[in-house]
Amino acid sequence: MLELKNLTKQYGNKKALNNVSLKFSEGIYGLLGPNGAGKSTMMNIITGNIKPSSGKVMWNNQEIASLGPSYRSLLGYAPQQQGLYDTFSGRRFLSYMAALKDISRKSMKDEIERVLSYVNLTDSADKPIGTYSGGMKQRILIAQAILGNPKLIILDEPTAGLDPKERVRIRENIKAISEDKIILVSTHVVSDIQSIAKEIILLKDGLIVDCNSVPALCQKYNNARSLEEVYMEIFGEEELYV
């Protein structure tokens, strides 16, 4: 179980996160909110990339700061097209990431083929990443995030730049691997998360506005017909893409 306890992150006079507490069990969680809501800050604290000003992140009742490499080994993170090496082929990039994750040489080849197939990049695996389209780069980032079968997966805008067919494919594949994992998906594409999320976390100005299942949220907000309508009710038309 992942737990956020009273997380606050302050930059000068601004609180990017303000006393956020959440509990996550196995399943998919959607993280929604306008730009500047605190979504990236939350994800970066969970992944250990930045430290909170106060509060704790707990994994199975232990602070992640005390877990060190054992926490990183169960974590998969796909940022928005960052950390890519344009001169590397897709396969070489995944080999490099697998080595960083301490995946054994014995299982590395099969694991790389598995994730390449998962994101439909097998045919382009030996081409330089610099020649990839934006959507292909997004898919290779998702591939490295799921290397090693991590128990906690953080996906930041995983369908950004993908065509509708690939968006559906990635959405269904995320659903297929979620049974024994915690998967947190930050997205502006509300329709990509509505049908697969166990719960939706709605964040604005560093505060949790609401957190519940899609049916419960729809009922609460004027019997909305969809998560898009809930979003509009809470945030207006800020940063909404469907």
Side-chain angles (χ1 to χ4, degrees):
M1 185 177 74
L2 177 72
E3 184 175 3
L4 313 183
K5 287 188 171 183
N6 307 115
L7 283 187
T8 294
K9 182 62 179 179
Q10 190 149 346
Y11 297 99
N13 294 324
K14 178 178 173 56
K15 289 184 177 179
L17 283 183
N18 190 355
N19 201 37
V20 168
S21 294
L22 291 165
K23 290 183 179 180
F24 303 85
S25 56
E26 291 170 348
I28 301 168
Y29 295 80
L31 181 58
L32 301 179
N35 283 343
K39 302 187 300 296
S40 293
T41 300
M42 181 188 293
M43 289 185 292
N44 275 296
I45 290 174
I46 293 171
T47 57
N49 290 330
I50 61 175
K51 294 182 179 180
S53 301
S54 61
K56 300 175 182 178
V57 179
M58 313 290 288
W59 178 261
N60 290 338
N61 298 315
Q62 291 183 276
E63 276 196 72
I64 64 169
S66 69
L67 293 174
S70 66
Y71 179 70
R72 292 191 291 273
S73 69
L74 58 83
L75 176 68
Y77 176 45
Q80 288 190 68
Q81 297 190 22
Q82 299 173 13
L84 291 171
Y85 299 87
D86 284 349
T87 59
F88 281 23
S89 69
R91 195 183 306 278
R92 184 184 176 194
F93 173 67
L94 291 175
S95 297
Y96 172 67
M97 295 304 295
L100 290 179
K101 292 187 175 190
D102 290 327
I103 296 172
S104 70
R105 287 187 175 273
K106 182 178 180 181
S107 60
M108 188 181 293
K109 182 178 179 181
D110 287 345
E111 181 64 5
I112 288 171
E113 292 307 315
R114 179 185 75 85
V115 300
L116 283 168
S117 175
Y118 177 92
V119 297
N120 198 26
L121 278 177
T122 302
D123 292 343
S124 302
D126 296 310
K127 296 178 181 178
I129 290 175
T131 67
Y132 284 11
S133 67
M136 292 168 73
K137 289 179 178 179
Q138 196 66 31
R139 282 186 276 155
I140 202 71
L141 280 168
I142 294 170
Q144 64 79 29
I146 64 171
L147 274 170
N149 199 29
K151 295 298 183 184
L152 172 60
I153 299 174
I154 312 295
L155 304 174
D156 189 1
E157 301 288 349
T159 60
L162 301 186
D163 64 35
K165 184 177 179 180
E166 285 299 332
R167 280 172 51 195
V168 172
R169 177 187 173 91
I170 292 297
R171 181 180 68 210
E172 293 307 309
N173 282 348
I174 291 170
K175 182 180 178 181
I177 66 170
S178 65
E179 185 175 342
D180 62 344
K181 296 173 174 54
I182 296 170
I183 303 178
L184 179 60
V185 182
S186 173
T187 183
H188 285 102
V189 188
V190 175
S191 58
D192 279 353
I193 198 68
Q194 174 168 316
S195 64
I196 64 172
K198 175 181 179 178
E199 290 187 0
I200 300 294
I201 301 159
L202 296 150
L203 191 67
K204 183 175 184 179
D205 296 330
L207 295 166
I208 302 296
V209 177
D210 215 328
C211 179
N212 217 321
S213 67
V214 172
L217 289 170
C218 287
Q219 183 177 22
K220 179 177 179 179
Y221 292 92
N222 298 321
N223 289 313
R225 292 169 296 178
S226 67
L227 185 58
E228 176 188 349
E229 289 189 6
V230 172
Y231 190 105
M232 295 281 285
E233 180 77 19
I234 295 172
F235 302 118
E237 297 185 5
E238 294 176 89
E239 310 297 335
L240 176 62
Y241 303 103
V242 293

